[in-house]
Amino acid sequence: MNAARIGSLFLLAIGSPLAAQTPEWIWHDRQGAAPKESELRFFRKTFTIEGEVRKAELTATGDDRAVVFLNGKQVVATDEWKKPGSANVTGEIKSGENVIAIRGQNTASAAGVIAKLELSYRTGGRKETIVTDTSWLSSAEEAQGWRTAGFSTSAWARPASKGKLGAEPWGDVFAAATVRALATPADKLTVPPGFKVELLHSATKEEGSWICMTIDPKGRLIISPQGDKQPLLRVTLSPQGQVAKMEKIEQPVWTAMGLLHAFDSLYVCGNGGSGLGLYRLRDTDKDDQYDSLEFLRKIDGAAGEHGSHGIVLGPDKMLYQVHGNFVKVPPDIAATSPHRNYAEDQLLPRAPDGNGFGNNTPPPGGFVTRMDPDAKSVELWASGQRNTYDIAFNADGELFGFDSDMEWDWGTPWYRPIRINHFVSGGDNGFREGTGKWPNWYPDSLPTTVDIGIGSPTGVRFGTGAKFPGKYQRALYAMDWSYGRIVAVHLTPTGASYTGTFENFVVGKPLNVTDLEIGRDGAMYFTTGGRGTQSGLYRVSYTENYPMEKLAVDQSAAAARAVRRKLESFHGKEDAAAVDFLWPHLNSNDRWIRYAARIALESQPVAQWLQRALDETSVNGSLTALLALTRKGASVHQDMLLEALGKNWPDKLNEEQMLEALRVCALSLIRMGRPSDDTAKDVITSLAPLYPSASERLNRELCQLLIFLDAPGALKKTMDLLAKAPTQEEQIHYAFHLRNVKNGWTPELRRAYFSWFNRDRGQKDGGPTYHGGASYLLSRSDQHPEQTVKWFKDAGREYGDGASFPKFMANIKKDAVATLTDAERAELAPLIEVKAATAKPKAERAFVKEWKMDDLVPALDQVGRGRSFARGKEMYTVSQCAACHRFGNDGGAAGPDITGAASRFNRRDLLETIVDPSKIVSDQYQNVILTKKNGDKLVGRVLEETADKLIVITNPLTGEKAEITKSAVTKREASKISPMPEGLINTLTKDEILDLLAYIESGGKKDHASFSGK
């Protein structure tokens, strides 16, 4: 019989005494020596497990700090001995030999660490307790591998006991300890072959939920929790890349969504004593503590998730900051700003979001500013993003960001997936609110570099400086909070910009990733957290040997970028040499060079280049110069411009050039006004023979132009396309713009149009596929086909209608009805006034209990197996979750989409959002409190806001609304009470709640492991 078996039998024989054993405070035996300042000591204990452990809970603390590892993985960390850490570590226990290890740190006076590990086995009711005592081993030196099995302890000694639990000066510190959740264990994450991921630290409740990170010149990580008055943290790493020290930065700044260490300063974009803005922290007396706090710049806009975000240092030693679409452009933007002259630029009226998100938010959408180190001079550098959270420069000095989508737009032609964008001087990436988003082919914007799919973009960082293989050194790492992954984007220089592909680099559930940095040791460090979820600090390293690659430079692409940058030097400023230099580049085959040349041209007085633009004979050069003229010229130039545009139309143009010419034509009408009747007839004569086209993209543009010009026959042609279009998205495009047409309708066309809203939503008899999904997006994408299809597969989502889809459709029909005469409205009433099916009344359920977290947390480990799918699905309906939350392709939009909840919430976090919904309220789903002049209050979510009124949803479960004039409101403030009512699960039994959690965690998949046998 082997020694391990004998040890196991011995533990069985004395199981009861071990269960009652009292832990002791232990410390490395100083043998009379005085304690050293901030001394670190190391402790370990091996123990053997035989049998299946049902539950394992660890509680520990240290005077003054302790970090506890189980089989090499951090499971508990404390920085105040009065507040012990406890964790459910069942998943870390393995059969056979296990190692529990503690790193303790003492700063003064009493020193000690104390821990107990309580084990419950699945069979026989057996229990076991492992505690700190003098049977442990300790060392004054940290050595490689000391936390894992197989380590030689020949140089280690027995520790000294400082007293049992309850001894002074500590008392019974475990009395009030409660088990907390941990960040997802590293072995639950997947990385490419050759890489290793480690969980270094699980944040305590006091350390908060982490959303942003940077690195200082000493290699320390600066981390920001999300929450008012929660201080920034500074993390010191050991030479082995472990957490050696965590300290608070005692300055009144918090909830930073942008952090940067540069110019001997820590820049913080967040909240603080002076409000929302950009702060600068400095250490003026060189004691390694920030003692100076400056408020550099106020930020006018949202303080939350669509506010101001990442800040980075550019190769030009300027600060670059990205802002979300709810931030207003600073009023003191410098006259030298390269991005100017932006507008909505919609030929036909756009519609706002069906659920009111971002309504009445004007261009430019999200934007990038460039500032000097003191943030005195601020330029508007680029725009047209939705809500890019972070930006990063690559080794070529080029700026990239990861922009968000609007999943509520799924199923519509204006949906845009999350995307990697290349940001350049004067660039516009085409985001507009509601239906107004520009397609990639508009020449007055710049196209996507790589489309990723769906998700919630957070931090980004290039692998520059990482000790990774060359492919991964060059990669852009982009984090997706919603679906628990870090994507490695592999960019290929292509002309003056890049193309690319992507792969999932780190994936886990939950893995609520927020930010990342490359450490001085060449490893990647990343954080999880956000919206009150459990945070963790992880390290990714490459473990295999590989040749250090010298990163090759594409000389042709480098030369193209150099040309583009030279053109950008003329942006925002007049220069007598500019026009002659830039003019040849207007005809470049490189879209990015043409774009840079055009912005440089628009920076020069129109009189200098007007005639030259009208006379240009090269196709690309003419289109680009005329595009500049639409944006900078006057209405008196319109006829000349359109005549010049017609010189090459259409025979000398390929499809891309035709799309550009149609956009130039549209912009001339948008910015210069409706042309004379004669000119309008000439334009119609040129365009009408091409409509309809074999190209869906050309039809999209021709449709708008001909409807705008009230062209004869355009209505009938568009109705024919509506009937024949193979996808839902294409059909919607025609239906959306036909809502504006007032003339030319016949009774038959009216009936056909309104019948479309009541159409069968399935595919029948080989007819049009109602839903285009990935295939439709592929047809309009500049990306590689395999990448497009991968969007949906990787995310585990089935493509369907977004949360705003029903209201978009209702609003389109409403606008069309408004064009009808009273007689038409009466005749078409049976088609217009289609009543929805009446829902069956729900059976009343009896009150069971006012559930609290303490009632349910001990049972959370029962969610993973043996649950009932049918009952979980039923409880989802009973609890009215679908009224507010999108789940799969169904549900409301008053709350967050929870289809991928398991990718960002662990079970405890998910349960807490149900039991205590007001603990963490995202600003994206926050109610407002409107105080009226008479003192009454109106509470709800703003659905629509105009110059003089607000429409508020007062009941998210019923959709009940209230309208109030702004003049009647004396005060407007955010509510800290969640729109989600409390007590929705108080009519459920414990098993029903566990089934509900399993159903949500499964993403609605019946074959999920949670529904397997016990």
Side-chain angles (χ1 to χ4, degrees), residues 85 163 957:
L957 298 179

Side-chain angles (χ1 to χ4, degrees), residues 839-845 874 876-883 957:
K840 295 180 179 179
K842 296 178 181 177
E844 293 292 329
R845 288 176 60 95
E874 180 187 359
Y876 185 82
T877 301
V878 167
S879 301
Q880 303 181 75
C881 303
L957 298 179

Side-chain angles (χ1 to χ4, degrees), residues 670-876:
I670 294 167
R671 294 210 171 195
M672 296 175 172
R674 191 176 187 90
S676 66
D677 290 345
D678 289 342
T679 300
K681 288 178 182 178
D682 290 342
V683 174
I684 292 170
T685 300
S686 297
L687 301 182
L690 301 176
Y691 185 60
S693 164
S695 164
E696 186 266 337
R697 297 191 302 174
L698 288 174
N699 283 339
R700 172 173 174 152
E701 303 308 321
L702 288 164
C703 165
Q704 296 178 74
L705 279 161
L706 292 171
I707 286 177
F708 178 87
L709 293 169
D710 202 16
L715 170 59
K716 179 62 168 62
K717 290 179 179 181
T718 306
M719 284 296 299
D720 289 344
L721 284 171
L722 174 64
K724 298 174 183 177
T727 67
Q728 165 180 298
E729 293 85 348
E730 189 176 347
Q731 292 172 24
I732 290 171
H733 175 78
Y734 302 128
F736 175 68
H737 291 301
L738 283 167
R739 86 195 200 286
N740 298 286
V741 178
K742 297 180 181 179
N743 303 317
W745 290 98
T746 65
E748 293 75 22
L749 289 175
R750 283 291 195 192
R751 282 194 293 272
Y753 178 75
F754 284 104
S755 293
W756 176 83
F757 291 96
N758 307 321
R759 65 209 180 284
D760 184 356
R761 300 188 51 164
Q763 182 176 4
K764 290 187 177 181
D765 304 324
T769 302
Y770 180 73
H771 223 304
S775 63
Y776 172 78
L777 291 172
L778 175 59
S779 72
R780 293 177 50 213
S781 173
D782 297 330
Q783 308 305 313
H784 301 289
E786 64 272 17
Q787 294 288 303
T788 308
V789 174
K790 205 167 182 284
W791 293 347
F792 302 98
K793 182 178 179 181
D794 283 355
R797 288 290 298 266
E798 294 180 2
Y799 187 88
D801 296 339
S804 288
F805 184 89
K807 292 181 181 177
F808 272 130
M809 294 302 101
N811 290 340
I812 291 172
K813 183 163 73 169
K814 180 181 177 182
D815 289 346
V817 169
T819 67
L820 299 176
T821 65
D822 290 343
E824 288 174 324
R825 192 175 291 110
E827 181 183 350
L828 296 168
L831 294 175
I832 296 171
E833 300 169 5
V834 177
K835 295 182 179 179
T838 304
K840 295 180 179 179
K842 296 178 181 177
E844 293 292 329
R845 288 176 60 95
F847 176 81
V848 174
K849 182 177 181 177
E850 187 176 341
W851 292 103
K852 304 294 183 185
M853 289 292 291
D854 291 345
D855 300 324
L856 299 167
V857 167
L860 285 179
D861 60 346
Q862 300 174 33
V863 173
R865 297 182 67 185
R867 304 318 311 174
S868 167
F869 174 83
R871 191 164 60 184
K873 185 176 182 180
E874 180 187 359
M875 293 308 106
Y876 185 82

Side-chain angles (χ1 to χ4, degrees), residues 89-103:
V89 294
T90 310
E92 308 304 330
I93 297 292
K94 61 183 182 180
S95 180
E97 187 177 61
N98 291 258
V99 179
I100 181 171
I102 305 176
R103 179 171 63 241

